Amino acid sequence: MTESWTSTDSGVLELPSGRLVRGRGLRRPLPGGAVPTYGVYLLGKPPPEVEWEARWLRWPDFRLPSSRTDAREALDEAWRRAAGERVEVACGGGRGRTGTALACLAVLDGVPPDDAVAFVRRHYHPRAVETPWQRRYVLGFAG
């Protein structure tokens, strides 16, 4: 089992189960400290190469994932792996798409869908999940 993040690491969201997932914006430098063991990158084009295992999820800025099936698989895997690995979820700015994905992970972790956006805004970033359709996506993620 890999050492996990700590809840004091920059950008780390602690889910109700205790799983820790780092959210970040790729336009900012990589934070110091431990690197992820697995990353999910939410971008309209392929992400830069990283030295850890990663998955690209095509997700244009201010929009929704191009494939809901791929998104569900990627987020299910990220949630599972966060039980014992350093998982990060990132987009360009680290708020809209990343916040939406983190809210979906919160739903997977047992947060009611209608509370998940508020949970992420309270514990990750106050402006996470930027658009009405991103909020609706989180509401429909449980089904």
Side-chain angles (χ1 to χ4, degrees):
M1 184 164 356
T2 305
E3 180 183 333
S4 187
W5 304 114
T6 68
S7 58
T8 58
D9 287 332
S10 177
V12 172
L13 172 69
E14 183 172 357
L15 296 168
S17 66
R19 284 175 166 88
L20 301 170
V21 180
R22 182 170 75 186
R24 76 177 178 102
L26 294 170
R27 290 191 295 264
R28 289 189 289 283
L30 184 68
V35 297
T37 53
Y38 182 68
V40 178
Y41 299 104
L42 319 166
L43 298 166
K45 61 182 182 180
E49 289 290 321
V50 292
E51 57 190 64
W52 49 87
E53 188 178 351
R55 180 170 182 168
W56 168 45
L57 182 58
R58 184 183 298 272
W59 191 329
D61 202 6
F62 296 106
R63 302 237 164 107
L64 297 176
S66 297
S67 166
R68 289 178 185 259
T69 301
D70 289 349
R72 183 62 190 227
E73 290 172 4
L75 295 174
D76 282 346
E77 181 176 6
W79 181 80
R80 279 191 313 274
R81 292 177 77 154
E85 296 181 51
R86 290 184 307 274
V87 173
E88 84 169 358
V89 175
C91 65
R95 292 187 190 145
R97 293 168 286 181
T98 296
T100 301
L102 291 174
C104 291
L105 292 176
V107 170
L108 290 173
D109 206 61
V111 175
D114 55 346
D115 294 336
V117 171
F119 176 86
V120 170
R121 286 179 175 170
R122 189 169 48 255
H123 298 287
Y124 171 68
H125 194 284
R127 293 195 323 244
V129 190
E130 296 173 318
T131 68
W133 41 93
Q134 289 172 340
R135 286 189 292 278
R136 282 193 302 272
Y137 182 77
V138 172
L139 284 172
F141 193 74

